Amino acid sequence: MVELSQLNVLNFTDEDLSTLFGNIEQIYQTNILFLQGLYERCTNWSNDQCFGPVINQFVPFLKSYGSYSQNFDAASEIYNRYEERSDVFSNFIEEKKLLPECRGLDFRSYLIMPIQRLPRYRMLLEDMIKHTPEDHPDYFELQNGLEQLMIVADSVNQAIVEAEEKHKLYQIAKKLITDSSFTVMKPSRSYIMDGDLHKICRKSRKKRKFFLFNDVFLYSYSQTSGKYVLIVHNTRSICVKITYLPVVDSK
C-alpha cells in the first residue's frame, strides 16, 4: 500500500487508494491480535489448553469484513481502470508478483482473500470441534464460537446484499434520463430485473427497455449515448404476461 502511494507517475488519488484497500488496515490489526492470542496458547500448551476463549473474544471484530466486502466491487473497478490505462501500474503488479513472499499471486488474488476468510474460519472451527472430545473444557467454547461466527457471517452477507442492491440502483440511475418528478434512488426500493420488450404499434414493433423493481415498473427507450429516456413509470399493481416464441432458424 505504501509503495503504491509512492508511485506518483500513476497519479493515484487519495480517494482511489482509500477505495482500493478499503479497511484492510483494520482487518490486518485485528488478525494480528488474534494470532498473538493463539500463539500464547500454543506456547503454553497442555492437554487442557483452550482456544475457545480467544476465538470468542475475536469473533465480534469480524464484522469489519462486512465493510471490506461491501467495498470490493468499487475496489475492483479502480484496479481494472488503472490496469487498462497504465503500463507502469501493470508492470509494477507483475514485478511484485515475482517476489517470493507473493508466492506467484498477483494483486487481484490478494484483493479477494479477505472475502474468502470468513468461510475458512467457519471450516476451521468445524474441524476443531470435530476433533475435540465432548468432555474437553474447550468443546463448549468452540461451539459457542462457531455459533457466534455464523451470526456475524449472516450479518456480513446481508450487508453485502444490501450494498449490491444500492449499487445496482445507482448504476441504473446513471443510465436513466428522468424528469424531476421521479428518482430511482429510494431506501425501500430493490431491483428485480430488466430487459427488452417490444411495443406493438399499428405498423411496427418498437423496442423498449424496462426496469422492474419491487414497487415500480419503468418503461423507456434507448439513445445512441447508451442512456435510456423514461417514458412512463407505474407504481400500481402490475400483471405481466410472458409468451415464449420458438426460435426460427434463419438458414
Side-chain angles (χ1 to χ4, degrees):
M1 182 173 180
V2 174
E3 287 194 65
L4 279 174
S5 64
Q6 292 174 347
L7 288 178
N8 296 327
V9 69
L10 293 179
N11 295 320
F12 262 109
T13 65
D14 292 339
E15 183 180 359
D16 281 350
L17 279 174
S18 177
T19 302
L20 185 62
F21 291 97
N23 63 330
I24 194 65
E25 287 286 345
Q26 179 185 5
I27 291 174
Y28 174 75
Q29 294 299 330
T30 297
N31 280 273
I32 287 293
L33 294 175
F34 182 45
L35 177 62
Q36 291 174 349
L38 295 177
Y39 181 77
E40 290 174 2
R41 301 280 170 147
C42 289
T43 53
N44 296 283
W45 182 254
S46 70
N47 290 335
D48 293 329
Q49 184 60 278
C50 295
F51 292 99
V54 178
I55 294 171
N56 285 313
Q57 185 179 11
F58 168 70
V59 165
F61 295 97
L62 294 179
K63 292 179 181 178
S64 59
Y65 283 87
S67 298
Y68 186 90
S69 300
Q70 292 176 42
N71 181 71
F72 180 74
D73 285 344
S76 297
E77 288 179 8
I78 289 175
Y79 178 88
N80 292 336
R81 186 172 77 239
Y82 278 94
E83 186 179 47
E84 292 171 0
R85 298 179 182 178
S86 174
D87 290 335
V88 175
F89 178 77
S90 298
N91 293 335
F92 174 83
I93 296 299
E94 286 299 315
E95 176 188 333
K96 298 307 175 184
K97 178 181 175 181
L98 300 176
L99 294 175
E101 54 265 40
C102 289
R103 299 175 293 174
L105 300 176
D106 61 10
F107 183 82
R108 193 189 301 275
S109 299
Y110 283 102
L111 195 65
I112 199 173
M113 281 187 179
I115 306 291
Q116 303 166 333
R117 181 63 61 179
L118 286 184
R120 290 177 178 175
Y121 277 140
R122 176 175 178 172
M123 289 189 292
L124 172 63
L125 276 175
E126 289 174 340
D127 195 52
M128 291 177 69
I129 291 172
K130 180 180 177 181
H131 293 88
T132 301
E134 293 186 11
D135 59 350
H136 192 281
D138 205 23
Y139 187 80
F140 173 78
E141 293 282 357
L142 291 174
Q143 280 195 319
N144 183 62
L146 178 60
E147 291 173 2
Q148 296 304 313
L149 175 62
M150 293 174 66
I151 292 173
V152 170
D154 288 343
S155 175
V156 169
N157 290 335
Q158 181 61 35
I160 293 172
V161 170
E162 291 175 359
E164 290 174 346
E165 287 282 354
K166 291 179 182 178
H167 181 68
K168 185 66 178 180
L169 289 178
Y170 174 71
Q171 292 296 323
I172 292 175
K174 287 201 304 182
K175 294 191 297 183
L176 199 61
I177 300 174
T178 67
D179 56 37
S180 58
S181 65
F182 178 80
T183 178
V184 175
M185 303 299 294
K186 188 178 178 181
S188 61
R189 179 165 293 148
S190 59
Y191 164 83
I192 297 177
M193 65 183 298
D194 66 75
D196 295 326
L197 293 174
H198 287 85
K199 179 183 178 182
I200 302 177
C201 302
R202 292 182 179 180
K203 296 183 179 181
S204 64
R205 293 186 177 188
K206 295 183 179 180
K207 188 176 181 180
R208 295 290 184 255
K209 181 76 171 182
F210 77 89
F211 300 90
L212 181 61
F213 302 89
N214 64 320
D215 64 336
V216 65
F217 179 83
L218 305 185
Y219 176 60
S220 64
Y221 66 88
S222 61
Q223 290 186 324
T224 55
S225 62
K227 292 193 174 185
Y228 300 93
V229 179
L230 179 65
I231 299 175
V232 65
H233 65 274
N234 186 357
T235 56
R236 294 173 296 178
S237 298
I238 302 168
C239 180
V240 180
K241 180 180 179 181
I242 301 176
T243 302
Y244 293 92
L245 300 177
V247 177
V248 179
D249 195 339
S250 59
K251 294 182 179 180

